[in-house]
Amino acid sequence: MALATTRWLLSVEALVSVAVVEVVSSVMLYHVIRGKLTWDVAVIGLVGYLAYLLILIHFI
């Protein structure tokens, strides 16, 4: 109930964080459904999280 009644202020960092997690999760889900996780999935995840880190550092 608290999540629904709390006022949320969304920053660029929060939006980018959610977008990166959704994209990486979708890619990983696709590979899990296919039954094959490869090194490129790990690279996609690392690139996404590094991009988020760079955006976070830029706005501090």
Side-chain angles (χ1 to χ4, degrees):
M1 186 69 175
L3 288 174
T5 59
T6 301
R7 277 195 177 170
W8 295 98
L9 297 175
L10 296 178
S11 63
V12 172
E13 294 86 3
L15 295 173
V16 169
S17 173
V18 170
V20 167
V21 168
E22 289 298 319
V23 168
V24 171
S25 297
S26 298
V27 169
M28 291 198 63
L29 178 63
Y30 170 75
H31 283 278
V32 167
I33 290 171
R34 277 185 46 204
K36 187 174 184 183
L37 290 172
T38 58
W39 63 270
D40 60 333
V41 176
V43 170
I44 290 169
L46 288 174
V47 168
Y49 290 119
L50 286 175
Y52 168 68
L53 181 64
L54 291 174
I55 290 171
L56 183 65
I57 290 171
H58 180 268
F59 285 106
I60 290 181

